[in-house]
Amino acid sequence: MKCPYCENEDSKVIDSRHTEDGHAIRRRRECEACGRRFTTYEKVEEMILMVIKKDGRREAFDRNKLLNGIIRACEKRPVPIAKMEKIVEEIERGLNNMMEKEVESTFIGELVMERLRELDEVAYVRFASVYRQFTDINTFVAEIEKLLITKKNNS
């Protein structure tokens, strides 16, 4: 950390405290060359995750948009909102842990479907019908048959 007075790069930390909101650390420093004191703030750098849509457009990841899609799929189903929020948190954490700056929307959709399949089969089929753009009843039936086969193999 450069001293703002003499621009020396050597300083020592005298005191560290969390800010009131808890999102940063306030550090009191002393320059080892000139002896003057100054304050710095340290906070986590948040990486903006961009989602690449099917048509090639890019938009910032929006956890609320993801949650709303899951809520719509689970509408009138016995799925607590806490479980839906947990799915969103898990997916968001997983995406951030990948350390990628961009991710395909199809990848996110597959993660949602994987979790909904385990949580509620009706919600899964609802989400899949929108996500995979089912065009007729045969597509619905094929997806339900795949779900039944998977369920049978896991039993």
Side-chain angles (χ1 to χ4, degrees):
M1 180 62 61
K2 273 189 180 180
C3 172
Y5 306 106
C6 71
E7 296 193 13
N8 181 45
E9 292 191 14
D10 295 323
S11 65
K12 62 182 175 184
V13 175
I14 298 169
D15 183 41
S16 291
R17 295 183 188 184
H18 291 279
T19 56
E20 287 181 23
D21 65 3
H23 288 77
I25 295 176
R26 177 185 173 271
R27 298 201 192 277
R28 199 67 187 129
R29 297 177 176 271
E30 183 177 310
C31 176
E32 294 190 347
C34 70
R36 294 184 74 178
R37 293 182 178 190
F38 57 98
T39 302
T40 60
Y41 291 88
E42 181 181 311
K43 68 177 187 171
V44 174
E45 182 178 2
E46 294 182 17
M47 184 176 76
I48 295 176
L49 178 65
M50 297 301 288
V51 177
I52 304 169
K53 307 298 274 184
K54 289 179 184 176
D55 65 3
R57 289 180 300 116
R58 285 168 168 69
E59 64 181 50
F61 175 79
D62 183 353
R63 75 183 323 273
N64 290 328
K65 188 173 179 181
L66 183 59
L67 180 60
N68 288 336
I70 293 171
I71 288 171
R72 264 185 263 123
C74 294
E75 194 170 348
K76 297 183 183 177
R77 300 295 304 154
V79 179
I81 189 74
K83 287 193 177 185
M84 294 180 233
E85 289 172 339
K86 184 178 180 199
I87 289 173
V88 173
E89 288 170 18
E90 288 173 354
I91 290 172
E92 186 175 26
R93 188 177 328 109
L95 293 172
N96 286 329
N97 288 343
M98 287 174 41
M99 299 301 290
E100 297 289 329
K101 292 182 180 179
E102 296 183 329
V103 65
E104 303 266 342
S105 62
T106 53
F107 179 73
I108 296 171
E110 292 297 327
L111 292 174
V112 172
M113 290 197 330
E114 183 180 300
R115 284 166 176 82
L116 285 178
R117 186 181 305 120
E118 298 165 7
L119 183 66
D120 186 273
E121 294 167 344
V122 172
Y124 163 76
V125 173
R126 284 179 180 168
F127 188 88
S129 71
V130 174
Y131 171 69
R132 292 202 173 129
Q133 300 172 337
F134 290 176
T135 54
D136 58 24
I137 193 70
N138 294 327
T139 316
F140 259 104
V141 171
E143 191 65 36
I144 291 170
E145 286 174 349
K146 283 196 305 189
L147 183 63
L148 291 172
I149 290 169
T150 303
K151 190 174 180 179
K152 183 179 176 182
N153 290 339
N154 290 338
S155 299

